[in-house]
Amino acid sequence: MNSSPSSRSAIVVAELGPTNTGKTHRAIERMLEHDTGMMGLPLRLLAREVYDRVTARVGEGRVALMTGEEKRLPPRPDYWICTVEAMPLDRTVDFLAVDEIQLAAHRERGHVFTDRLLHARGRKETWFLGADTMRPMLQSLIPHASVKRATRLSQLRYSGRRSLKSLPPRSAVVAFSADRVYELAESLRRLRGGVAVVLGALSPRTRNAQVAMYQSGEVQYLVATDAIGMGLNLDLNHVAFAALSKYDGAEQRDLFSDELAQIAGRAGRHLNDGSFGTLNTLSELSPRVVSSIESHQFPAVRSLIWRNAELDFASPEALLDSLTRAPRHSAFIRVERADDFDALKDLSQVPAVRDLVTDRAGVELLWQVCQIPDFRKGLLGQHVGLLRETFLQLAEGDGTLDATWLGKQVSPLDDVSGDLHTLMDRLAAIRIWTYISHRSSWLHDAEQWQERTRHIEDALGDALHERLVERFVQRAARRSARRFVRATAPVAGSGSDSPFAKLGLLLGEVAGADGPALTEEQFVQRVVDATHEAFEVDALGSISFEGQPLARLVRGTDRRSPQLALAEPEVWTGGARRRLERRLNALARDLVTEAMGGFPAESLTGAGRSAVTRGLSYRLAEGVGVITQGEAREQWGLMDEESRERLRTLGVREGRRYFYVANALSPPAMERRCMLTALFLQKPAPKGVPSEVSLEASVFGAREARAFGYEVLGSVALRIDVVERLAEALRHPSGARQAQTLMQELRLEAGARAVVLRELGGPSGSAAMKRRRRRRRGSQNSPAVQQAAGLHPSSRESGTGARGAPGGPKPE
């Protein structure tokens, strides 16, 4: 990914423009047209939102999520969704994108975005997304980049001052401190009955629950900090500013017009126009500022924040010197301050630390410790004290942190009591330990600590969401008091047909019920966080979680597009429904991918591929990983060898009678195929499908056999993997014994066997009979007998077979 001659020659695109131009959407679509890709987002919350969007398209099995405190890593991900700081720069991908690239001018985080702008590249294509103010800088630094201006899809208009009481539905009120957010939310609750709250300090778990509550229409108003300005997609009609200045970490200052526009632009999504204004406690915005926001015209960025990336680890002093090195380019300004630099400067003066940084490895370790983020944003000395103890333990002992000490730091945070401020303080603190737990080499039993810190963060997030709902949403507006009480056995006398009869009753407490009570949000989060293996999907498409029915798949436009129906949608609040449907839609995409043997149809049918590749890939996807030779032969012949080899690496095989993805003929894939086919045909699969390799042709309706993975040969239907193995064996003298064994295992009647042999290119029945007579008269080792066991090889060039699974005849 690092800049190199090959990466510099790849395509670089800059998509620049205001909010609501579809930049992020287009980048996602373009990434999915490549085999592999990576996106860097400015916020952990936004990274999770994009992760949800991508997994809903391709399933969770192909997508990794990487942030400082959260990692979801499937075994072989094709796509990486990350915060900009957490992008794994050592991983090569075809497509790379960085969002909100104008943050390269941010005085604290800007140096990270500048580094990505200069060095992060996709092997084939790189996109930078952001404000049009970056145009001159991008044209100067990357002259070969294709700079495109994205136009807003809807109009944004100033509507003046309003009172809280006169705000229209689907409005967001923006403030710049947690106290002010809570104050405004309380006022809106009294006036309007309910409000959602979004702050940057919330965990993704809490934020997602709050946003889902708003998006589903459970509440009509949102109070937020400027955290909503960084690309979060909300159905907003109006944005009202409750303040026009904020503390930026160094001073209280007025917001610039482009910062106001970034937030105001959240109003009016897609083709719906939006409006912005202020609360009547503020003065009117100046005509100049209003004009700039409405016309999206702002002063260009003239300089970027930069920090030297070529660090010298010879000593703490050498490292400090290299970090303060001045840029050579006039467009760059050296970063003024950063928490890691300040921590390094302080720790390098501590005698106990200096005694341990005597070599390069020690200095590198010290720098890694200094980069532990201070989510609490308290006194620097408090955080430096924590870093000092962390470094001393890592450097003095066996290179790991003492488990007892870790427990003393983490255990007090495992407490969900207290008010909103207390819970948010604990959330900020546990995020530090979550970050540390993901430095696996620093801990014994790192996975255990990751699980523990995640559990604490989740519990705190759930408690915070519950407190927010209790405080800012009237009970009449939301059914949030319900608790699901898990039970190991049906509750006597319940008489409920609800899918939660076993999971629990919609009551506060149930006498005699086993297991802890779960709120609706907690149960939904368990589903959202669950891995693919935690779900049970039966042959009819019913989806269960922990033994309880959740939803079922229903007929879509084709076999690859099943739709989802919750088992009992009225049980859930709107926000819970949205989150469940998002997770289960991702599960459905994983099931389709399994049926296709892992074939990445989404990327291979994209506009960036050649017409023949797109055509063949579309046919393979349409056939759920299996198509006939006749459907594929022409396009395969037109394809260049490089494209063929690419498909072969993805498992595509050119068989004797079929083109297929090798893993699409495995037993688990065949089971998924039959489920999807039965859903689409709206009838159950015939008995014995897909476990039986041979069935009577009459069990299938017209053209159904191929859809279920069988081929009709006379009066019988053979499973396609067996057909392929037989067809391959019948064309090779060396496969004669294998063909004979397979035919014996099929236990077909003589007439049916003759038809199968003839259909697959073998000898006629009479020819086979004559050879059997000669075999009885001649020597068992005679050439005639060997030929009778097999068949004359075809002059056609051999293809590549597929391997089956144990338990029956296997495809080669």
Side-chain angles (χ1 to χ4, degrees):
M1 183 186 304
N2 291 337
S3 184
S4 65
S6 60
S7 64
R8 285 194 295 268
S9 64
I11 297 172
V12 178
V13 174
E15 278 258 4
L16 306 178
T19 56
N20 192 28
T21 58
K23 299 186 297 291
T24 304
H25 171 75
R26 286 190 293 277
I28 291 172
E29 293 295 315
R30 186 60 176 159
M31 178 179 72
L32 295 180
E33 292 176 359
H34 289 272
D35 295 338
T36 59
M38 182 180 298
M39 290 191 70
L41 290 310
L43 298 175
R44 181 188 181 193
L45 300 179
L46 183 54
R48 184 58 193 249
E49 178 178 302
V50 172
Y51 171 80
D52 288 346
R53 291 174 62 184
V54 174
T55 54
R57 289 282 301 277
V58 302
E60 293 198 351
R62 297 181 61 198
V63 190
L65 175 67
M66 293 280 289
T67 70
E69 311 119 74
E70 187 176 14
K71 291 180 174 61
R72 294 173 73 96
L73 291 174
R76 291 176 298 277
D78 294 322
Y79 304 109
W80 297 74
I81 309 301
C82 320
T83 51
V84 172
E85 286 85 350
M87 295 172 75
L89 300 180
D90 58 343
R91 183 168 295 273
T92 301
V93 292
D94 293 332
F95 176 91
L96 181 141
V98 179
D99 199 11
E100 306 292 359
I101 194 61
Q102 75 275 4
L103 288 179
H106 190 278
R107 67 184 187 181
E108 290 187 23
R109 298 180 66 200
H111 64 90
V112 179
F113 286 79
T114 300
D115 179 79
R116 305 299 182 261
L117 180 65
L118 296 176
H119 303 299
R121 295 291 183 271
R123 183 169 50 226
K124 296 180 180 178
E125 195 166 354
T126 302
W127 281 29
F128 296 111
L129 317 174
D132 198 55
T133 54
M134 282 290 289
R135 180 182 296 270
M137 194 60 65
L138 275 160
Q139 290 173 330
S140 172
L141 295 174
I142 314 176
H144 63 281
S146 172
V147 182
K148 302 178 181 179
R149 176 171 174 78
T151 56
R152 186 176 166 89
L153 300 175
S154 63
Q155 297 294 315
L156 186 62
R157 292 286 180 258
Y158 179 58
S159 63
R161 301 163 64 207
R162 291 176 179 264
S163 66
L164 281 177
K165 189 174 182 179
S166 65
L167 287 177
R170 315 309 290 168
S171 289
V173 181
V174 179
F176 298 98
S177 70
D179 288 338
R180 182 62 172 147
V181 165
Y182 295 149
E183 178 186 339
L184 289 163
E186 181 64 32
S187 298
L188 266 175
R189 184 196 66 81
R190 290 196 300 266
L191 291 168
R192 297 296 189 180
V195 60
V197 174
V198 173
L199 303 92
L202 297 182
S203 68
R205 191 181 181 100
T206 312
R207 171 262 174 191
N208 287 343
Q210 289 285 307
V211 168
M213 191 170 65
Y214 172 81
Q215 289 290 83
S216 67
E218 291 180 56
V219 295
Q220 294 293 321
Y221 298 90
L222 181 75
V223 183
T225 62
D226 53 346
I228 68 168
M230 287 297 169
L232 299 182
N233 291 303
L234 300 167
D235 296 327
L236 290 173
N237 294 331
H238 180 75
V239 169
F241 289 94
L244 298 174
S245 65
K246 71 172 184 178
Y247 182 73
D248 65 359
E251 60 182 357
Q252 186 76 21
R253 64 169 178 81
D254 292 338
L255 274 79
F256 301 119
S257 57
D258 59 335
E259 293 175 314
L260 292 170
Q262 185 75 25
I263 300 167
R266 295 298 113 197
R269 306 309 299 159
H270 195 50
L271 300 178
N272 298 322
D273 293 342
S275 62
F276 68 98
T278 62
L279 294 184
N280 57 10
T281 54
L282 301 178
S283 59
E284 295 274 5
L285 292 175
S286 71
R288 179 182 59 81
V289 171
V290 170
S291 176
S292 294
I293 295 175
E294 290 184 338
S295 62
H296 318 298
Q297 299 293 324
F298 308 102
V301 172
R302 297 298 180 188
S303 58
L304 304 181
I305 304 302
W306 177 90
R307 184 160 75 177
N308 181 32
E310 298 175 359
L311 302 182
D312 184 351
F313 293 102
S315 68
E317 291 76 17
L319 178 57
L320 287 166
D321 287 342
S322 63
L323 286 166
T324 56
R325 189 170 302 160
R328 297 189 179 93
H329 198 292
S330 60
F332 301 144
I333 297 175
R334 181 171 58 82
V335 61
E336 293 180 8
R337 65 164 302 276
D339 288 344
D340 52 9
F341 179 85
D342 293 341
L344 175 64
K345 189 165 58 175
D346 286 357
L347 288 177
S348 63
Q349 303 302 316
V350 176
V353 172
R354 292 193 61 83
D355 291 343
L356 295 171
V357 286
T358 57
D359 57 11
R360 180 182 179 87
V363 179
E364 287 182 345
L365 176 61
L366 178 61
W367 180 233
Q368 291 170 4
V369 170
C370 289
Q371 291 179 297
I372 296 172
D374 182 13
F375 295 112
R376 293 174 295 187
K377 298 299 181 184
L379 298 174
L380 179 63
Q382 179 186 18
H383 187 62
V384 170
L386 171 64
L387 300 184
R388 173 183 176 276
E389 181 64 27
T390 301
F391 174 76
L392 292 177
Q393 286 200 34
L394 293 173
E396 288 180 329
D398 61 355
T400 60
L401 297 174
D402 178 67
T404 303
W405 177 77
L406 270 174
K408 289 180 180 178
Q409 307 301 316
V410 171
S411 294
L413 303 176
D414 192 3
D415 180 0
V416 296
S417 64
D419 58 16
L420 292 174
H421 289 287
T422 301
L423 291 172
M424 289 187 68
D425 288 344
R426 292 193 192 118
L427 260 175
I430 196 62
R431 288 176 68 188
I432 296 174
W433 297 107
T434 301
Y435 179 94
I436 290 174
S437 73
H438 281 94
R439 302 303 297 254
S440 299
S441 62
W442 291 2
L443 299 93
H444 290 298
D445 300 322
E447 291 185 2
Q448 175 188 338
W449 284 105
Q450 290 166 14
E451 176 63 24
R452 183 175 180 185
T453 55
R454 186 189 66 81
H455 172 77
I456 294 174
E457 183 176 340
D458 289 349
L460 290 169
D462 290 339
L464 180 57
H465 174 67
E466 194 170 341
R467 300 287 197 286
L468 290 170
V469 171
E470 287 175 353
R471 180 168 171 181
F472 300 127
V473 182
Q474 290 182 359
R475 286 285 183 238
R478 188 168 192 267
R479 296 169 293 168
S480 60
R482 298 172 305 162
R483 301 184 75 83
F484 297 100
V485 184
R486 299 183 63 208
T488 56
V491 180
S494 67
S496 174
D497 294 328
S498 164
F500 305 103
K502 296 178 183 178
L503 176 66
L505 300 176
L506 307 184
L507 300 171
E509 297 293 339
V510 177
D514 297 327
L518 296 176
T519 65
E520 177 188 74
E521 287 81 13
Q522 288 171 331
F523 178 75
V524 170
Q525 192 64 46
R526 287 169 68 93
V527 176
V528 169
D529 289 342
T531 62
H532 181 76
E533 294 73 22
F535 297 94
E536 301 166 10
V537 185
D538 66 18
L540 299 177
S542 295
I543 302 172
S544 300
F545 176 70
E546 297 182 344
Q548 311 306 321
L550 271 187
R552 58 189 175 87
L553 298 175
V554 296
R555 189 179 194 271
T557 56
D558 55 43
R559 287 187 294 172
R560 295 175 294 126
S561 309
Q563 301 300 302
L564 188 78
L566 291 179
E568 198 168 350
E570 66 274 10
V571 168
W572 306 101
T573 55
R577 278 198 305 274
R578 289 176 65 95
R579 301 181 70 208
L580 284 172
E581 288 169 349
R582 202 290 311 163
R583 176 63 187 94
L584 296 177
N585 276 322
L587 174 67
R589 294 307 309 160
D590 281 329
L591 297 174
V592 173
T593 301
E594 285 180 4
M596 292 194 293
F599 185 67
E602 191 86 32
S603 63
L604 291 171
T605 55
R609 304 290 179 174
S610 67
V612 290
T613 298
R614 291 202 310 272
L616 182 58
S617 299
Y618 178 79
R619 284 182 177 274
L620 272 170
E622 196 175 40
V624 195
V626 182
I627 57 177
T628 65
Q629 275 281 349
E631 292 175 287
R633 187 178 297 113
E634 181 180 358
Q635 288 166 322
W636 185 257
L638 294 173
M639 198 173 292
D640 59 66
E641 187 56 35
E642 182 181 353
S643 299
R644 290 181 188 174
E645 189 56 36
R646 174 60 187 146
L647 289 177
R648 290 189 185 107
T649 62
L650 294 172
V652 177
R653 301 291 181 260
E654 183 185 9
R656 284 296 174 181
R657 297 176 70 84
Y658 293 92
F659 266 79
Y660 56 91
V661 180
N663 289 335
L665 297 183
S666 67
M670 293 291 284
E671 290 177 4
R672 298 301 188 210
R673 178 191 188 89
C674 291
M675 178 197 71
L676 295 173
T677 301
L679 285 174
F680 184 70
L681 296 178
Q682 295 185 297
K683 59 186 296 186
K687 185 178 180 180
V689 173
S691 57
E692 297 293 333
V693 299
S694 173
L695 295 168
E696 292 184 6
S698 59
V699 304
F700 295 103
R703 305 176 66 179
E704 283 183 9
R706 185 76 50 78
F708 281 106
Y710 286 75
E711 181 175 357
V712 173
L713 300 168
S715 62
V716 300
L718 299 185
R719 211 169 58 198
I720 286 175
D721 53 49
V722 177
V723 171
E724 269 300 314
R725 184 166 186 175
L726 272 172
E728 182 67 24
L730 291 171
R731 283 158 174 79
H732 294 279
S734 60
R737 181 173 297 176
Q738 181 185 23
Q740 184 183 38
T741 302
L742 276 171
M743 293 301 292
Q744 289 173 348
E745 291 180 0
L746 291 176
R747 298 177 181 175
L748 302 178
E749 295 180 357
R753 182 181 301 188
V755 173
V756 169
L757 290 174
R758 184 172 64 249
E759 291 285 340
L760 296 181
S764 64
S766 58
M769 183 66 70
K770 292 177 182 178
R771 278 195 286 272
R772 282 197 294 272
R773 289 171 183 162
R774 287 197 298 268
R775 182 173 57 191
R776 286 195 293 269
R777 290 194 297 266
S779 169
Q780 289 296 323
N781 296 322
S782 68
V785 171
Q786 294 178 8
Q787 189 175 21
L791 299 160
H792 294 292
S794 169
S795 58
R796 179 180 172 182
E797 183 182 8
S798 173
T800 307
R803 295 181 183 239
K810 306 175 185 179
E812 200 67 328

